[in-house]
Amino acid sequence: MTPKRISARTRNEWVTAYGFLLPNLIGLFVFVFVPIVYALYVSLHDWNALNPKAFSGLDNYRKLLHDDQWWSSIRITLTFSVIYVPLLFVLSLLSALLMNALRGRTKGVARTLFLLPFAVTSVTSAVIGMFMLDPRNGVINRLLGLIGIGPQPFLGSTSQAMLSIIGVILWINIGYNMIIFLSAIKEIPRDYYEAAGMDGATGWKSFRFITLPLLRETSTFILIVTTIGSFQALDQILVMTKGGPANAMEVSVLYIFKQGFELLNMGYAASLAFVLFLIIFGLSLVQLKLFSNRN
């Protein structure tokens, strides 16, 4: 049986497609795969970034198994992710549904207000959050005072610091995820809702049996991306609390940052980073398996 010949037009289309993909593939290779391999290489050495690397084998990995502070940072990161990811998902979806229901100029104004925080840099947003959460003169405490609630320590409390930072990061990211959900909602044919309405389906039933199932792929994407982002949260935490109070917000990435750039334990920091990469990769595969569409 003779192999099927590829036409010149098909060949040109493939060349064009890969030509467009090439810059992204190069960027992915240079800025993702190479650093991962290099981190693995560095993790097998004792290195302080000043002297030559000394091969140490798996010593760094043996060390992290008995590092209580590292496992504490993993626990804090997991707690942060378990609270942050569902909140961001639900609030972004509700915001998209609200935005889809708005009409006229109100919709444009609301969309702008939602997206403005995302346009602010992470450090700037952290500084704004610190001013708003200031225990003495912060806007949040002043608003609480209007309804008879006394001043709260927020970032100065081990029990409130995480929720305070989560609130700031939610404020930044809801608008971006809302736009993704809104774009997916706009792609759902109106015929489905009209047919459901003729069968007597209410708004809740239409959402449950039409909107939510057809948002499955978008939901999977947002859940995976936000989970990865929650495990990589650093900027706001570093600026707002530096891991405090009493290490209550010392997440894994911050602990790796301190080991590498403050204590100059580059080899050990690389081993921690590689283990964190494996954790994130594993969680992403589990989420993809659980939430992806099954044919």
Side-chain angles (χ1 to χ4, degrees), residues 9 28 64 91 100 116 272 276 278 282 285:
R9 180 177 178 178
L28 189 67
L64 71 83
L91 292 175
N100 190 52
L116 271 178
L272 298 176
L276 184 61
L278 293 178
L285 289 179

Side-chain angles (χ1 to χ4, degrees), residues 10-118:
T10 303
R11 191 182 302 109
N12 290 335
E13 288 177 352
W14 278 97
V15 171
T16 303
Y18 280 109
F20 281 114
L21 287 173
L22 187 60
N24 288 326
L25 292 174
I26 293 174
L28 189 67
F29 177 78
V30 173
F31 296 108
V32 177
F33 291 115
V34 171
I36 290 172
V37 174
Y38 186 69
L40 177 61
Y41 168 75
V42 172
S43 71
L44 301 175
H45 295 76
D46 182 13
W47 184 42
N48 62 4
L50 301 175
N51 299 321
K53 302 180 186 70
F55 182 76
S56 60
L58 298 177
D59 287 352
N60 288 322
Y61 292 95
R62 296 190 187 98
K63 179 181 177 181
L64 71 83
L65 291 176
H66 305 285
D67 188 344
D68 293 337
Q69 199 168 353
W70 162 248
W71 293 112
S72 175
S73 73
I74 290 289
R75 177 185 58 78
I76 294 170
T77 303
L78 287 171
T79 304
F80 177 87
S81 181
V82 166
I83 298 173
Y84 168 73
V85 173
L87 279 176
L88 181 61
F89 181 87
V90 171
L91 292 175
S92 299
L93 180 55
L94 291 177
S95 301
L97 294 171
L98 174 63
M99 195 68 58
N100 190 52
L102 294 177
R103 295 292 181 269
R105 294 183 179 180
T106 307
K107 185 173 184 177
V109 173
R111 184 182 299 179
T112 302
L113 292 175
F114 271 106
L115 281 175
L116 271 178
F118 188 73

